[in-house]
Amino acid sequence: IRIPLRQMLSVRTQLRASNRLEDFMRDHQPDVFNRRYAQCYPPGIPSLRLGKSSERLYNFMDAQYYGLISLGTPKQNFTVVFDTGSSDLWVPSSYCVSEACAMHRKFKAFESSTFTHDGRMFGIHYGKGHMLGIMGREVLKIGPLTVKNQEFGESVYEPGFVFVMAKFDGVLGLGYPSLAEELGTPVFDSIMNQKSVDQPIFSFYLNKSKMPRDPEGELLLGGMDEALYSGPINWNPVTLKSYWQIKMSSIQVQGALTFCPRGCQAIVDTGTSLIIGPNRDILALQQLIGATPTSIGEYLIDCARISSLPQVTITLNGVEYVLTAESYVKRELMGDHEICFSGFQGEDLHSSTDPLWILGDVFLSDYYSIYDRGQDRVGFAKARHTRYATLDAEMDS
């Protein structure tokens, strides 16, 4: 089942373009970066018992890739982030009272003949505020695929300014069931239970190519597309079935330091565009790639120096994945002026084992990723970003 993904401007980019980013970061710092969800509302939800990970990687400030789903009969369309860093499905409710909901499409339960009211509430903590909502069951459509009786959340209150600016309406989580804040079955588990796909896997292709005929991105449910990658698939066992969490052997800056030489844990997260690591390591890494800090915690890079910057190599299960500066430097236009930013960000995330890193779109746009629930493993292969150009050349010859 092939789901096209569109690449849109992130909230961070929109704020920068309107000269509001500095004010926002100053006023909303905890809301943006501190994702510790130990105290969630309402209390008593079984999935929030003590001992469950308190980290939730809802860094939607930098989410870029969105796709289309529909709920209800007749269908109501929503744009969502397909997010491997969470496990819930939620969209705004027609009863939502927050400013963010006014800017997005809202689910109208009273217009659907297949809606079933659940009656339970859910709550997700976002820094200083709580997202609140009610649960329901509905027919979900993702492309041609139909999921019957899918549990989902209707948000009635969305905190913070991030959701006001966001181009997406909601989130469809693709993590493991243990990560879910809502009671019920995550979407891909429902898909597997209803035997709607041939294989219990899904794969992501995130494109940074500007070739006009290349897809911006693609989620493939139930398989992988060999036309979108080259070379072998290298597999990594999941170390903790919550996030798609794997072992990372090391991360090295060319000719310089090696970080986490004794190994770290890494979360593969399609919901953020960045690579995130411990503050101390990231600070040293930024210095090695010549990035200089701004007053709001971002790191600038001289665009003219990109070709001379070192490679960064991430080693996973014995395989080296090389990122050039063209991959880890993010370019943005401010009027007619180009600005370059580091794609690395520091944040100390709690982990009961090794230091924790997050591999977001900076990594995933270079490497095709496959998520295998049947064998609890994540696979990577070199993404092919000129698929149609290559096919045209083959046809011409």
Side-chain angles (χ1 to χ4, degrees), residues 184-220:
T185 306
V187 170
F188 196 70
D189 287 79
S190 296
I191 290 171
M192 292 190 295
N193 294 342
Q194 296 176 26
K195 296 180 170 52
S196 299
V197 290
D198 293 333
Q199 302 177 74
I201 66 175
F202 57 91
S203 53
F204 273 91
Y205 171 78
L206 304 178
N207 195 1
K208 59 188 176 185
S209 166
K210 303 303 180 186
M211 297 290 291
R213 293 185 61 193
D214 275 2
E216 293 178 66
E218 190 171 276
L219 164 63
L220 200 63

Side-chain angles (χ1 to χ4, degrees), residues 17 35 61 68 73 174 179 187 276 341 383:
R35 310 296 177 188
M61 274 281 288
L68 196 66
T73 309
L174 291 165
L179 189 59
V187 170
I276 300 172
F341 298 90

Side-chain angles (χ1 to χ4, degrees), residues 99-287:
E99 181 185 0
C101 295
M103 310 296 289
H104 294 95
R105 286 173 282 199
K106 297 177 283 293
F107 179 71
K108 301 177 178 67
F110 51 85
E111 291 186 359
S112 174
S113 62
T114 47
F115 176 74
T116 303
H117 181 62
D118 185 291
R120 293 173 296 176
M121 292 183 64
F122 75 94
I124 303 175
H125 187 69
Y126 287 86
K128 289 182 175 178
H130 296 85
M131 170 180 285
L132 303 177
I134 52 176
M135 298 293 295
R137 293 173 182 265
E138 189 52 282
V139 174
L140 165 67
K141 287 185 180 291
I142 312 173
L145 186 148
T146 298
V147 185
K148 299 175 182 176
N149 209 31
Q150 176 61 48
E151 289 136 320
F152 75 106
E154 293 181 69
S155 67
V156 296
Y157 177 73
E158 297 180 13
F161 195 61
V162 171
F163 295 119
V164 176
M165 297 287 292
K167 295 291 187 184
F168 57 89
D169 301 312
V171 174
L172 192 155
L174 291 165
Y176 280 84
S178 62
L179 189 59
E181 301 280 3
E182 302 167 359
L183 292 174
T185 306
V187 170
F188 196 70
D189 287 79
S190 296
I191 290 171
M192 292 190 295
N193 294 342
Q194 296 176 26
K195 296 180 170 52
S196 299
V197 290
D198 293 333
Q199 302 177 74
I201 66 175
F202 57 91
S203 53
F204 273 91
Y205 171 78
L206 304 178
N207 195 1
K208 59 188 176 185
S209 166
K210 303 303 180 186
M211 297 290 291
R213 293 185 61 193
D214 275 2
E216 293 178 66
E218 190 171 276
L219 164 63
L220 200 63
L221 298 172
M224 60 191 85
D225 186 346
E226 294 181 1
L228 292 175
Y229 65 87
S230 59
I233 298 169
N234 299 297
W235 293 100
N236 301 264
V238 171
T239 55
L240 182 64
K241 290 187 281 187
S242 176
Y243 298 107
W244 288 92
Q245 184 169 321
I246 59 176
K247 181 80 171 178
M248 183 168 76
S249 302
S250 67
I251 180 166
Q252 184 176 32
V253 180
Q254 183 180 5
L257 282 176
T258 298
F259 301 100
C260 71
R262 290 183 292 277
C264 299
Q265 294 290 303
I267 290 166
V268 188
D269 185 2
T270 58
T272 182
S273 65
L274 306 170
I275 292 178
I276 300 172
N279 278 311
R280 184 176 176 180
D281 288 348
I282 292 294
L283 178 60
L285 190 153
Q286 305 284 28
Q287 293 170 343

